[in-house]
Amino acid sequence: MQKQGLGLRWLLVGSLITNTGISFIWPLTTIYMHEYLHETLTAAGIVLFINSVVMIFGNYVGGALFDRWQPYRTILLGISINVVSAIALTFFHGWPSYAILLIILSFGNGIVGTSINAFATLVTSRRTSFVFNVLYFMSNLGLVIGTLVVGVILPFGIEYIFAFASLLFVIFWFVAFFRFNVATDKKRRKNKQNVTRLNAATRNRILSLLAVFIVSWIAYEQWQSNISTFMVHHGMTVQDYTFVWTFNAIVIVVFQPVLTIFDNWLFQHIRTRLNAGFLLFGLSFVVLIFAHDYWQFLLAMGILTLGEILAFPGVSTYVDSAVLEDQRGKYQGIVNAGASFGRAVGPLIGAQIIERTSYHALFVSSILGLLIFLIGFNIFSQIRSRDQDNQAGEK
């Protein structure tokens, strides 16, 4: 029997569980393939790239099924794929079964990620912007918990990691089975006479915003890959680099909840929020250009993280507010696919720029890319604003 609305707490519980389970598996990919399976780093990189591409496909499929099939069955399908592949990994984690099952898990995770974002638009008790803010906090909290627990479980054997992840996915399946079967009543209705014009007008705004979003993820991925080497070149240790990510988690845990206090203002000034977030992204790379001491790298990460918590949930909020009821799944899938694409190509693009030029050229390229596409987004937004003003004048 369908419920009238999805409870926010169950969506947050689901996000926490699935992100904790996923964080048991993904961070170990390179280390496990290289140290345990004795495959090359290149092979590990290829597997990770394929995983990202497959996740993009999963994001798209998840969005399409959410809109055209049924949200409830879509998320159960995605979780079921995760459960089956994680259980299989518990028993078959040699080569090449590990890589094959990981790719299947990627597809399921793509469906689940898009479904969770799309279900966020169905929560009736809170504004969608509030839901995306808290959802982003819970997903990061799950990643922090997962990476901390992995270090405790891994010495007992890799199979225990996969078994524990399987257990978490099973728990999420039951949560979704009992709590996610909700009616998809419209929370927001559009004037049908303006559907064609509205879709045409919003397309450029959404695409220009997604371009900024993808560039920001490409820049963000430099911290995951190439900046670690840059820090070592400046005399810092691997432990120093790992603490940078601990600092990232601390900033998110401290400041993300603060945004919920100002949710009304942030929603009413969504463009200001997005501009501030992406400009902070660019500013963090300005700091990196001049960084030599460890505190400067921490400062750059702190600025980047503040930009992240402003911009990333803001993108989902902006897109949801712009599209029609029956397009929510599709466009949340596109948002997730944009993030997956940035994660896939980011390390490769960064490595190519560094090898052909320098780290500083990479940082400057990141700044210029963000600014150029951010200007494009604001231009399209201004065009839309003028159109609305003209229509109001005519009336």
Side-chain angles (χ1 to χ4, degrees):
M1 181 178 177
Q2 286 190 330
K3 300 176 176 60
Q4 287 304 308
L6 177 63
L8 176 59
R9 61 177 177 177
W10 295 112
L11 182 68
L12 299 181
V13 166
S15 178
L16 178 65
I17 292 172
T18 192
N19 280 285
T20 302
I22 287 296
S23 65
F24 281 179
I25 298 173
W26 297 118
L28 294 176
T29 301
T30 301
I31 295 174
Y32 180 68
M33 285 187 62
H34 188 59
E35 300 296 332
Y36 292 80
L37 300 180
H38 307 293
E39 298 295 326
T40 65
L41 290 175
T42 300
I46 292 173
V47 169
L48 287 173
F49 178 77
I50 295 174
N51 279 326
S52 297
V53 172
V54 170
M55 188 175 292
I56 294 172
F57 182 62
N59 293 145
Y60 176 80
V61 171
L65 292 177
F66 190 94
D67 290 333
R68 301 175 187 176
W69 186 34
Q70 190 182 90
Y72 176 62
R73 292 179 179 176
T74 299
I75 195 166
L76 286 181
L77 172 65
I79 303 171
S80 298
I81 294 173
N82 284 357
V83 169
V84 172
S85 53
I87 291 175
L89 278 168
T90 306
F91 301 99
F92 307 102
H93 41 265
W95 182 262
S97 57
Y98 172 79
I100 294 171
L101 291 170
L102 201 64
I103 290 169
I104 296 172
L105 179 66
S106 241
F107 178 69
N109 193 45
I111 295 175
V112 172
T114 292
S115 296
I116 288 176
N117 266 27
F119 264 106
T121 69
L122 302 181
V123 175
T124 55
S125 60
R126 291 281 190 170
R127 193 199 303 271
T128 306
S129 56
F130 179 92
V131 177
F132 279 123
N133 282 334
V134 184
L135 197 61
Y136 195 76
F137 169 79
M138 294 302 288
S139 64
N140 279 282
L141 181 62
L143 295 175
V144 171
I145 294 173
T147 52
L148 290 175
V149 174
V150 162
V152 177
I153 299 178
L154 185 59
F156 295 98
I158 192 72
E159 61 272 15
Y160 289 97
I161 296 290
F162 299 133
F164 204 82
S166 303
L167 176 62
L168 289 175
F169 293 146
V170 168
I171 293 173
F172 184 30
W173 192 93
F174 279 104
V175 169
F177 181 80
F178 288 108
R179 296 293 176 177
F180 279 60
N181 189 13
V182 298
T184 57
D185 294 336
K186 294 184 179 181
K187 291 166 50 182
R188 180 177 65 250
R189 298 186 182 275
K190 304 286 186 180
N191 186 340
K192 292 184 179 180
Q193 295 178 349
N194 295 332
V195 166
T196 302
R197 182 184 54 78
L198 182 62
N199 283 338
T202 57
R203 188 180 301 113
N204 287 337
R205 285 188 296 144
I206 291 175
L207 291 178
S208 60
L209 177 59
L210 288 174
V212 187
F213 187 53
I214 291 171
V215 171
S216 68
W217 264 108
I218 292 172
Y220 192 87
E221 280 302 300
Q222 306 314 311
W223 278 97
Q224 298 271 21
S225 52
N226 298 305
I227 291 178
S228 58
T229 308
F230 183 67
M231 291 179 66
V232 171
H233 287 168
H234 281 78
M236 276 146 254
T237 65
V238 175
Q239 287 73 22
D240 292 330
Y241 170 72
T242 56
F243 180 75
V244 165
W245 285 107
T246 304
F247 181 62
N248 169 268
I250 292 172
V251 174
I252 291 175
V253 169
V254 171
F255 287 98
Q256 188 77 45
V258 175
L259 295 187
T260 61
I261 301 174
F262 304 99
D263 179 65
N264 287 335
W265 189 92
L266 290 170
F267 182 75
Q268 293 169 4
H269 301 84
I270 185 67
R271 273 181 56 199
T272 301
R273 171 183 180 168
L274 291 168
N275 279 304
F278 289 122
L279 287 174
L280 285 171
F281 253 87
L283 180 60
S284 69
F285 285 91
V286 174
V287 174
L288 282 178
I289 293 175
F290 304 99
H292 295 285
D293 299 321
Y294 187 53
W295 69 268
Q296 293 171 314
F297 287 95
L298 288 177
L299 175 63
M301 173 54 85
I303 295 172
L304 181 88
T305 308
L306 290 175
E308 171 189 353
I309 63 178
L310 277 170
F312 285 179
V315 171
S316 296
T317 300
Y318 185 90
V319 170
D320 177 66
S321 67
V323 302
L324 301 177
E325 173 73 22
D326 60 356
Q327 298 173 322
R328 283 173 162 176
K330 172 185 175 181
Y331 278 96
Q332 290 303 324
I334 292 174
V335 170
N336 279 12
S340 299
F341 179 77
R343 285 192 293 263
V345 302
L348 178 61
I349 291 175
Q352 288 295 311
I353 294 175
I354 292 168
E355 289 177 2
R356 295 173 185 273
T357 53
S358 65
Y359 282 99
H360 286 147
L362 171 64
F363 303 151
V364 172
S365 299
S366 299
I367 297 166
L368 291 177
L370 283 165
L371 288 177
I372 291 171
F373 285 103
L374 188 59
I375 290 171
F377 166 65
N378 280 282
I379 289 174
F380 284 116
S381 297
Q382 282 299 113
I383 293 173
R384 175 59 179 161
S385 297
R386 286 200 298 269
D387 288 345
Q388 289 177 329
D389 292 340
N390 291 337
Q391 291 168 13
E394 292 173 359
K395 293 180 181 179

